[in-house]
Amino acid sequence: MKRLALLSLFLISAALPCAAANDAGLSGPFRMMGGATCDAGGLAQHQGACDPPALDTTGLPAATAAAARFERARKLLALVRLDAAKEELGKAIAAEPTAVEALHFRARLRLSMGDPKGAQQDLDAAIKTAPDNALVRSSLAYLHLQMRRLPEALREIETALAAMPDDPDARWIRASILIALGQSDKAIADLDVAVRDAGNVRARETRAALHLRQNRLEAAVADADRVQQARPEDPTTLTIRVLAKIGAGKTDEALADLDKLIGPPGGPYRMPVEYQDFGRLTYQRAMLLASAGRGEDAMKDVAYVLDKGGIRAILRLQIFLRHNGMPDVVLDGQRSSQLDAAVMACFGNAACGRGLSRPL
């Protein structure tokens, strides 16, 4: 487990026995958006070529007009036409201001688009009309979580779960709140229920991260594998799987995943995560490569990270090495054969190697 010291840098906040009734989920941010096909191509789809026909609701009863616009918004969401869907929902709510389903749907869309203030307004309006609506309260709990109002979040989700104890989205939301409260041991039971829904991939991703945090490495890999089946390019679960495999001593498998995640040693590199996390992952791989006798490949990774970080990154590395048993390392912000040799020596020492990414 000695190489799991970087674990907390990659964990989230951050699914399959039965069929999902709704892959978008019923509360909180949408689990996924899209799913509809558009033969016109991606750019044309983005520009509205495959949008459902515009509606003329003149003369229709308010509730009927709102329902029609709500359904059109759902179709737009399936085309990932988010702004158009939000606009259509606005028209639905203008026609029927107390349309709880439209208010809730727009709130969820706003949550997914990073607009918590707008989501709060919609959820407050929906609860004013339907105070006992458990799905709305579940989404409100998620909003409180995002705003770090954890006691309020827990209160709302408990209210929601009292009405729908086995709802997979609500269970995932409560698990996320419990994790944020430092009560991870209690969260696992909620996640075990949430992942029964085949469409609840985010719950399985959260459980994979929790398994990794609690050193259940095989379980973490199993959950990450399932998420990767649904989302092959997802960097979060691939990172979880890498760290779990490193911890389990499966070096060759971890290296294969790292090649997929960040590109092969020497490039072309991919940067699917924040630069610091990319740098730390690359150093992790360099350390694995060095331990596997692939020193040349290891130095390719080190060189790339240092080149990206520039003089400051090299200076921080040199200072780190000087404070970790290599007092002769020159502090000049330049790469050299001496620096490369010092890095390789550091990789050969477990304590030094684990700390090598900290100067980034």
Side-chain angles (χ1 to χ4, degrees):
M1 302 328 96
K2 60 181 180 296
R3 289 197 177 113
L4 289 179
L6 302 181
L7 166 62
S8 62
L9 297 166
F10 304 107
L11 288 178
I12 346 175
S13 18
L16 284 144
C18 64
N22 180 355
D23 283 348
L26 297 174
S27 63
F30 294 111
R31 297 181 194 169
M32 60 167 287
M33 292 177 259
T37 57
C38 177
D39 294 335
L43 179 59
Q45 176 179 331
H46 178 72
Q47 294 173 339
C50 294
D51 286 4
L55 296 175
D56 181 1
T57 59
T58 305
L60 291 178
T64 304
R69 292 198 178 279
F70 175 77
E71 287 305 318
R72 186 170 187 272
R74 289 173 61 92
K75 294 174 183 177
L76 289 165
L77 180 72
L79 290 162
V80 201
R81 293 268 290 137
L82 307 188
D83 288 330
K86 188 167 69 171
E87 181 181 351
E88 196 67 33
L89 289 165
K91 293 177 181 177
I93 294 163
E96 183 65 47
T98 58
V100 172
E101 195 170 21
L103 285 164
H104 185 215
F105 198 86
R106 189 171 69 176
R108 296 183 64 205
L109 182 56
R110 284 172 157 170
L111 283 171
S112 302
M113 295 174 71
D115 178 17
K117 183 177 179 180
Q120 178 86 62
Q121 293 170 350
D122 284 342
L123 291 171
D124 288 346
I127 286 177
K128 184 176 180 180
T129 300
D132 296 327
N133 189 306
L135 292 173
V136 175
R137 289 202 173 274
S138 183
S139 293
L140 181 59
Y142 181 85
L143 173 65
H144 286 316
L145 170 63
Q146 292 302 101
M147 303 302 290
R148 306 301 296 176
R149 299 190 291 254
L150 300 182
E152 294 90 338
L154 188 59
R155 182 184 66 243
E156 291 293 347
I157 202 62
E158 295 290 7
T159 299
L161 281 166
M164 47 181 198
D166 293 324
D167 179 81
D169 293 306
R171 285 290 194 121
W172 170 72
I173 291 168
R174 184 168 68 179
S176 301
I177 295 166
L178 291 171
I179 291 170
L181 286 167
Q183 300 176 26
S184 298
D185 289 343
K186 295 181 180 179
I188 196 70
D190 281 334
L191 293 171
D192 288 345
V193 173
V195 300
R196 295 174 189 168
D197 184 331
N200 204 352
V201 178
R202 63 190 180 189
R204 192 168 290 275
E205 180 178 76
T206 302
R207 193 174 71 171
L210 187 55
H211 283 320
L212 179 58
R213 178 186 295 177
Q214 297 180 339
N215 208 28
R216 294 188 291 268
L217 303 180
E218 294 298 329
V221 170
D223 273 343
D225 284 344
R226 296 292 284 272
V227 177
Q228 285 287 302
Q229 290 172 14
R231 300 196 307 232
E233 301 302 318
D234 179 67
T236 301
T237 47
L238 195 52
T239 301
I240 290 168
R241 191 166 72 181
V242 163
L243 293 172
K245 286 179 176 179
I246 291 172
K250 298 179 178 180
T251 301
D252 290 342
E253 293 181 22
L255 286 172
D257 275 348
L258 281 164
D259 287 352
K260 180 179 177 183
L261 180 64
I262 60 176
Y269 287 92
R270 301 173 61 236
M271 198 177 296
V273 289
E274 297 277 346
Y275 171 69
Q276 282 198 335
D277 287 353
F278 170 84
R280 291 182 176 107
L281 279 173
T282 309
Y283 264 118
Q284 280 279 84
R285 183 171 67 184
M287 186 162 58
L288 290 178
L289 290 167
S291 68
R294 295 171 58 186
E296 185 176 342
D297 282 341
M299 288 313 301
K300 290 177 183 177
D301 278 349
V302 172
Y304 182 78
V305 174
L306 292 180
D307 287 345
K308 294 291 287 185
I311 293 174
R312 291 180 63 185
I314 297 172
L315 273 172
R316 287 195 294 266
L317 176 61
Q318 290 169 335
I319 292 169
F320 172 82
L321 291 170
R322 286 186 64 138
H323 283 88
N324 283 271
M326 302 179 194
D328 295 330
V329 171
V330 177
L331 298 178
D332 62 359
Q334 302 295 320
R335 281 199 65 212
S336 65
S337 58
Q338 182 208 42
L339 179 61
D340 289 354
V343 169
M344 288 301 293
C346 183
F347 282 148
N349 179 292
C352 183
R354 282 199 303 274
L356 193 57
S357 68
R358 292 173 191 160
L360 288 176

